[in-house]
Amino acid sequence: MKTNQLVNMAFILLASLFCANAMAQEPIWDPNKVTFITKKLGENVYGVFPTEAFEAPSSKAKATTGGFIVGKNSVLVIESFLNADLASQMINQVRQVTQLPIKYLVNTSYHGDHSYGNYVFPASTTIIQHKEAKKYVDNYFVDDTKFMIQNFGLGRGIERVIPRAGDLLIDSPITLDLGGVEVEILTFGFGQTPGDLYVWEPKSKVLFVGNVIVAAPPAIPWLLDGRHEEVLSTLKKIKSFLPDDAIIVPGHHAPIKKTDMDFVINYLTALHAGVESGIKKGFTVEKVVETLKMDEFNKGYNLYGWLHFQLNIPKTYNELKNVKK
């Protein structure tokens, strides 16, 4: 499927998620109400989290998380967030720890809540993106901001965003030296977009994974572009790569452990098996949606009903049906 078709489908699917919130005149989370806090995760590594990230994951969707890594000479920041105010908050969090220059800024994906704030950072800061993320920004930025305004609402700073795509574009791993502290920018594969990056600081054993893991269990994956088998493969690669005592920073929640990955891996494995079984029985997608409850994974995540039945099952069904043709 062509990239623009995937983009349009993602817009439609996300719109269905936001519609209930739009009816209530409330976005899924309100960037105007986000306040960041910084947690030290290792000797040189800091996570930057919305305060609500430390509430139970079933309560509501959380704002985007990020972080920064400090060397002797410079700083690397992960994520620039949805608007100028949030990007400025991030810079403020860095400045409470160090006055060293922000040499690098990494976007783990092209999603606006991870990258719209790029333009707030100094011109001297090198923006690092996956090559596919740069393509997306170049081709779909205007449509993307219109969509985000529609669903987050006016007055959330999105209308003031200026596109700033990557300066350093990668599609394979690189290592950066911040001055005595090396940071690895990894490319495990498709996590939620074709342009996902992962940030690893090996001494502190901290990995920033973006949206391949949205939140702690019982959150389940958001298969916006489908490709569930690739997502599962990427998760298994990440788990195999990580030491047992690693700290994982998900895209929208507090830090989790390596063992927490089992929940999303098991969910995707069961999803594949359940949908495949339904196809073998001759079920329509509607019948699979009706019968494949997977209640063992429905543990209180407030978006489970929408994600599982309206997004993940239909996406997986269509993919597996195509395999059978």
Side-chain angles (χ1 to χ4, degrees), residues 297-314:
F297 298 99
N298 188 5
K299 302 297 183 182
Y301 186 45
N302 69 325
L303 300 178
Y304 183 89
W306 176 80
L307 287 169
H308 180 64
F309 296 109
Q310 297 185 46
L311 177 63
N312 294 352
I313 290 178

Side-chain angles (χ1 to χ4, degrees), residues 126-181:
T126 297
I127 309 294
I128 302 175
Q129 289 180 333
H130 194 285
K131 289 181 179 179
E132 293 299 321
K134 170 67 160 57
K135 288 180 186 177
Y136 182 92
V137 174
D138 287 345
N139 290 298
Y140 302 107
F141 183 80
V142 172
D143 288 340
D144 194 78
T145 54
K146 287 178 180 177
F147 168 78
M148 296 293 267
I149 290 170
Q150 176 185 344
N151 293 296
F152 278 95
L154 290 169
R156 266 79 182 196
I158 302 168
E159 57 270 27
R160 301 194 303 272
V161 171
I162 300 169
R164 182 178 174 187
D167 306 301
L168 175 57
L169 308 177
I170 65 174
D171 57 10
S172 59
I174 63 170
T175 299
L176 303 171
D177 188 350
L178 304 180
V181 177

